Amino acid sequence: MMKRLYSAVVDGKGFDILLVGLPLLFLITFSGLPLLYNVLMSFQEVDIFSLGSLIRPFVGLDNYRALLAQPEFWPIMWNTVIFVVCSIFGQFTLGFALALFFDAGFRGASFLRGLFLVSWVMPGLVVGAIWNWILSGDFGVLNYILRATGLISENIFWRSDTDFSLWAVIIANIWLGTAFNMILLSVGLAGIPKDLYEASELDGANVWQRFLTITIPMMRSTIGAVISLGLIFTLQQFDLFAAITSGGPANSSNVAQYWAWELSFRQYDFAKGATISTIMIITVMIAALLYVRSTRHEVRG
Amino acid sequence: MTQQPQIELVSVNKHYGGFHALKDISVTIAKGSFVALVGPSGCGKSTLLRSLAGLESITTGEIRITGETVNETPPRHRDVAMVFQSYALYPHMTVRENMSYSLRLKRVPKTKIDAAVAEAAKILGLEDYLDRKPNALSGGQRQRVAMGRAIIRNPKVFLFDEPLSNLDASLRVHMRKEIRALHERVGATSVYVTHDQIEAMTMADHVVVLKGGSVEQQGTPLSLYDMPATKFVAGFIGSPAMNFVSGEITGDGGSVLLDLPGRPILPLARQATPGRKVEAGLRPEHLSLAPPGVPAIETRASSVESTGSVTYLYCGGDPEIIVLSQEREPLSSGEPVRLTIAPENIHLFDPQTGLSIGQAAG
């Protein structure tokens, strides 16, 4: 028996199954089950005493109803939308601009491009700490620059002013994600054959027309992938909120992912935390679907 | 009325850093002619073509198209069309969109564009493929689309950058004729880069042989074959390649003594400097089996290959001499053979400079 099992692993189909099975087991244990557990919890009544048990009173959509009834629900959802859209817009635009800039291939371009990745490899909490200094109301360098250039006349208290607190996190998040966007877009740009540009130049296209008729259509799948990944990463962004504003003041910079954590681990309302997470899971799944679809439509000559 | 040349290259030089890619190239191309730039890889032929297109800038010299200096003119204002080696079709556009791209950029009215596409598609036999994307086409069809994209613009000059090198052998022969027929039909000036001397010989009115960034010789295809100015051109034009044997002019200046076993002496058609060291060039198709009593190269056939229409004899070993015969030679490997050549068909080259000594056929 053992011998047969051993020989199946060494030379038969068993090895293939082993190779597939190990990562699958890992995924089910550490991603699949917690995910399902989270969805289950969103339909249950959970309190601090029933935390240890799996079978708890089923309450249907009560948690969802209660959550929607909370006055801060819609403002926080709206904050999440602003945060996601503005972060992705900023990261993508700056990332694409930088990718095009480095694609010009001047001396040292690839070295500098590599340096940009430093911002991406840094932990979010560290980035948050750095931006706390930059955004600081009294002595922050951002206020200094804005004052020196005459854009503002008095200091903005970025982290404690309800009009600016969300933007403080967005700015930091754009800084954090731009490099990643740039690298992916650079790869996409490098994949466009140079002779296409030459052919279109001979066909009479100027720089702007070449960008619109060659670069953008050839980058379609890359752009789709970058934006979908951006959506996923932005919805996962937690560290910056923890480090910069803690969602405050008065929920002015609170977003779904941070609120879920707050509800679960600050207010010990695990059911509502799980409910928000479930709503986010659905959103991210849709983004992931879009991402997979966009990578499938690769166009290469 | 003397016609103004379509393209003039005047002492064109190009340096890439320390590398001198184009050396003092001057070529004049008449309107409506088909010119081939030919040479081994790295000879600068593609660089020259790209300089004509404006994709490369030249360091010194002048490029004129219809009398107008275009050194500083960007490619899109030169009114030249180019067919790339890779075809460079726009993969995200259909055949129709590929061909109409330049007209759409110029905002030509849609009815005119449709008519132009229809006409080009008809010439090239692409009517059934207009709505396909390039990746659904065969190599030959892509090649045609690339040409369609060029002819639809009706440009002053067509540039071809080794357009047939990605096709298989039989399709290449076919497309060669098609391009030539297209040229005769459209009548536009064409510059064609190739490393294949047969393409150059069969398609062009005027061949420019490049080597190491400079023009080795230029002229009509047959003049290059009959009167190669250098040993390089002699060896490059013609297939199989010319045989080269080192030797020495005899004391009376009327014959050449070849450095081969048996020291054969072949008579020349004209006088040369007695005692001069030379390289004798003997084309395979000019050599033949000698009748008895004629001065001849005595050697052995090391192998005999017959294709049915012609026979290749590989003779001797150092250097090997190839003979191309129209007859079915009743020979087998190892047999002794005697080879002769008409005196006027012997080419002589200087062993140091490689320059032709006099002109063989002259």
Side-chain angles (χ1 to χ4, degrees):
Chain A
M1 178 60 201
M2 274 311 284
K3 209 169 169 192
R4 258 193 38 216
L5 204 70
Y6 175 78
S7 69
V9 167
V10 167
D11 54 39
K13 256 203 174 122
F15 189 63
D16 300 359
I17 294 170
L18 192 74
L19 283 185
V20 177
L22 282 178
L24 210 60
L25 195 73
F26 183 87
L27 280 175
I28 289 170
T29 316
F30 293 105
S31 297
L33 291 179
L35 217 70
L36 288 175
Y37 182 61
N38 188 67
V39 175
L40 179 72
M41 260 207 304
S42 76
F43 296 105
Q44 289 177 330
E45 191 188 310
V46 189
D47 56 38
I48 199 96
F49 303 107
S50 66
L51 208 53
S53 49
L54 185 66
I55 310 300
R56 286 174 289 232
F58 181 76
V59 292
L61 292 173
D62 277 2
N63 288 326
Y64 291 83
R65 277 189 214 104
L67 199 69
L68 259 80
Q70 295 214 26
E72 65 266 45
F73 179 81
W74 288 111
I76 287 177
M77 288 299 140
W78 182 235
N79 279 348
T80 312
V81 171
I82 294 178
F83 177 70
V84 167
V85 170
C86 294
S87 290
I88 292 179
F89 178 80
Q91 290 173 355
F92 179 79
T93 325
L94 287 177
F96 206 175
L98 283 170
L100 288 168
F101 177 64
F102 287 123
D103 198 50
F106 49 89
R107 185 188 292 268
S110 52
F111 173 71
L112 283 172
R113 182 162 45 200
L115 275 188
F116 265 81
L117 272 184
V118 169
S119 71
W120 187 61
V121 299
M122 279 214 267
L125 284 171
V126 176
V127 174
I130 294 170
W131 278 93
N132 278 343
W133 289 100
I134 297 175
L135 295 166
S136 166
D138 305 319
F139 49 83
V141 71
L142 185 62
N143 273 339
Y144 178 78
I145 291 170
L146 290 174
R147 260 203 334 260
T149 52
L151 286 169
I152 55 170
S153 51
E154 50 189 283
N155 283 348
I156 294 174
F157 286 82
W158 291 94
R159 295 159 54 211
S160 50
D161 187 326
T162 52
D163 290 336
F164 292 101
S165 55
L166 184 61
W167 294 99
V169 189
I170 290 175
I171 291 171
N173 192 38
I174 289 174
W175 184 86
L176 184 65
T178 295
F180 180 71
N181 277 250
M182 178 199 67
I183 289 295
L184 283 195
L185 292 165
S186 287
V187 173
L189 283 179
I192 303 176
K194 291 284 158 283
D195 53 8
L196 290 188
Y197 289 113
E198 293 179 347
S200 77
E201 201 177 351
L202 282 163
D203 272 346
N206 60 32
V207 178
W208 181 237
Q209 286 166 328
R210 287 201 292 277
F211 181 72
L212 286 182
T213 60
I214 306 293
T215 313
I216 294 288
M218 292 295 288
M219 292 281 285
R220 248 186 63 190
S221 61
T222 311
I223 292 172
V226 167
I227 290 183
S228 312
L229 283 176
L231 181 58
I232 293 166
F233 287 153
T234 315
L235 281 178
Q236 285 178 356
Q237 184 49 259
F238 176 85
D239 309 12
L240 288 179
F241 288 94
I244 298 177
T245 64
S246 307
N251 282 330
S252 63
S253 67
N254 209 352
V255 290
Q257 63 266 37
Y258 192 77
W259 196 29
W261 174 82
E262 246 183 13
L263 286 170
S264 293
F265 299 104
R266 280 286 151 91
Q267 300 170 21
Y268 302 112
D269 192 344
F270 289 95
K272 281 200 188 123
T275 308
I276 295 206
S277 304
T278 307
I279 295 172
M280 291 183 67
I281 288 169
I282 294 165
T283 321
V284 172
M285 293 260 260
I286 293 170
L289 205 74
L290 290 175
Y291 167 66
V292 170
R293 274 177 62 98
S294 73
T295 52
R296 209 178 284 165
H297 288 278
E298 298 269 335
V299 184
R300 286 285 176 260
Chain B
M1 187 185 115
T2 54
Q3 199 163 26
Q4 186 189 32
Q6 187 81 346
I7 303 172
E8 289 163 281
L9 302 172
V10 187
S11 308
V12 169
N13 279 281
K14 167 136 188 106
H15 297 264
Y16 286 110
F19 178 63
H20 200 168
L22 298 176
K23 294 170 190 155
D24 202 33
I25 290 181
S26 296
V27 176
T28 302
I29 296 171
K31 191 172 165 60
S33 64
F34 196 112
V35 175
L37 305 177
V38 66
S41 54
C43 70
K45 55 192 190 297
S46 280
T47 308
L48 187 59
L49 193 79
R50 292 170 59 81
S51 306
L52 255 177
L55 298 172
E56 306 269 353
S57 60
I58 56 172
T59 316
T60 62
E62 211 179 314
I63 298 176
R64 284 196 283 261
I65 298 177
T66 57
E68 198 184 318
T69 304
V70 295
N71 286 19
E72 303 297 327
T73 312
R76 65 200 162 94
H77 291 144
R78 289 195 184 190
D79 197 15
V80 300
M82 183 154 160
V83 176
F84 288 78
Q85 181 171 10
S86 59
Y87 315 141
L89 300 180
Y90 311 125
H92 53 289
M93 298 184 200
T94 62
V95 170
R96 184 193 305 278
E97 289 166 340
N98 261 286
M99 296 213 288
S100 60
Y101 183 73
S102 57
L103 300 183
R104 285 185 285 132
L105 286 177
K106 275 193 237 156
R107 303 193 184 285
V108 173
K110 189 162 184 320
T111 47
K112 275 195 187 164
I113 293 180
D114 289 344
V117 169
E119 200 201 330
K122 200 171 149 223
I123 294 175
L124 295 160
L126 286 168
E127 290 118 315
D128 297 339
Y129 306 102
L130 284 176
D131 294 314
R132 288 206 194 168
K133 294 266 177 76
N135 58 11
L137 298 176
S138 71
Q141 288 163 344
R142 289 180 199 189
Q143 167 71 60
R144 287 203 191 96
V145 177
M147 290 201 296
R149 201 168 61 179
I151 61 175
I152 203 164
R153 291 174 46 196
N154 198 13
K156 284 183 194 153
V157 182
F158 281 103
L159 304 176
F160 295 90
D161 189 6
E162 308 211 21
L164 304 185
S165 54
N166 289 336
L167 301 178
D168 63 54
S170 64
L171 197 54
R172 205 176 312 168
V173 174
H174 177 74
M175 289 306 291
R176 209 155 79 192
K177 278 200 309 225
E178 236 177 64
I179 292 179
R180 181 67 216 191
L182 192 73
H183 170 72
E184 256 137 51
R185 181 168 178 164
V186 178
T189 313
S190 303
V191 182
Y192 188 102
V193 160
T194 178
H195 61 266
D196 182 350
Q197 55 97 12
I198 301 225
E199 271 178 27
M201 295 292 282
T202 51
M203 296 172 77
D205 310 315
H206 185 87
V207 177
V208 180
V209 182
L210 292 160
K211 183 198 170 197
S214 44
V215 175
E216 192 82 358
Q217 189 179 1
Q218 53 179 314
T220 63
L222 292 184
S223 74
L224 296 187
Y225 178 86
D226 290 336
M227 291 172 281
T230 64
K231 187 184 162 189
F232 173 79
V233 176
F236 193 76
I237 303 285
S239 174
M242 187 184 270
N243 300 296
F244 292 104
V245 182
S246 53
E248 194 182 321
I249 304 295
T250 52
D252 62 356
S255 304
V256 59
L257 172 75
L258 297 178
D259 244 351
L260 287 171
R263 316 285 291 162
I265 295 174
L266 298 177
L268 295 170
R270 64 201 166 346
Q271 285 293 309
T273 317
R276 181 168 182 180
K277 295 271 185 211
V278 294
E279 285 274 325
L282 316 168
R283 288 206 183 273
E285 53 274 33
H286 290 154
L287 286 162
S288 58
L289 296 186
V294 176
I297 302 167
E298 312 257 357
T299 179
R300 257 171 212 288
S302 55
S303 98
V304 182
E305 292 173 355
S306 180
T307 64
S309 58
V310 294
T311 306
Y312 296 94
L313 294 177
Y314 298 88
C315 305
D318 187 33
E320 185 176 63
I321 296 174
I322 303 174
V323 181
L324 177 67
S325 166
Q326 302 295 327
E327 312 294 328
R328 298 210 173 169
E329 305 294 355
L331 284 169
S332 53
S333 306
E335 262 185 81
V337 288
R338 301 179 70 245
L339 302 174
T340 187
I341 186 168
E344 65 272 18
N345 284 335
I346 299 176
H347 297 266
L348 296 177
F349 301 98
D350 187 284
Q352 264 83 49
T353 62
L355 291 175
S356 172
I357 301 169
Q359 287 294 357

